[in-house]
Amino acid sequence: MWDELGISAGTAVLILIALYFVIKWAVKNGIKEVYSAITGKKADEDIQNEIDLKELGLD
């Protein structure tokens, strides 16, 4: 099937891996957004990231 599209097997694997991480990132951010919308709280990871940015002076 990939040969009909002119894509080698290695390229197809790389595309599928990249697609996996993009979907994983999108689902994670969607869940965090819904959590903050429902509870009105920030996720622990977001709070820790803000603390780390303040320590580095990158507000």
Side-chain angles (χ1 to χ4, degrees):
M1 180 177 91
W2 295 107
D3 292 333
E4 294 172 0
L5 297 172
I7 299 174
S8 67
T11 303
V13 169
L14 290 175
I15 290 171
L16 292 175
I17 291 171
L19 187 61
Y20 166 78
F21 285 107
V22 168
I23 292 172
K24 180 181 172 183
W25 171 79
V27 169
K28 180 180 176 182
N29 284 339
I31 290 171
K32 285 171 47 177
E33 185 176 330
V34 169
Y35 173 78
S36 65
I38 291 172
T39 63
K41 301 177 187 175
K42 291 184 180 179
D44 293 338
E45 182 180 350
D46 290 340
I47 293 169
Q48 185 61 41
N49 288 340
E50 288 177 2
I51 292 170
D52 291 342
L53 287 173
K54 286 180 183 177
E55 289 176 357
L56 294 174
L58 300 173
D59 290 340

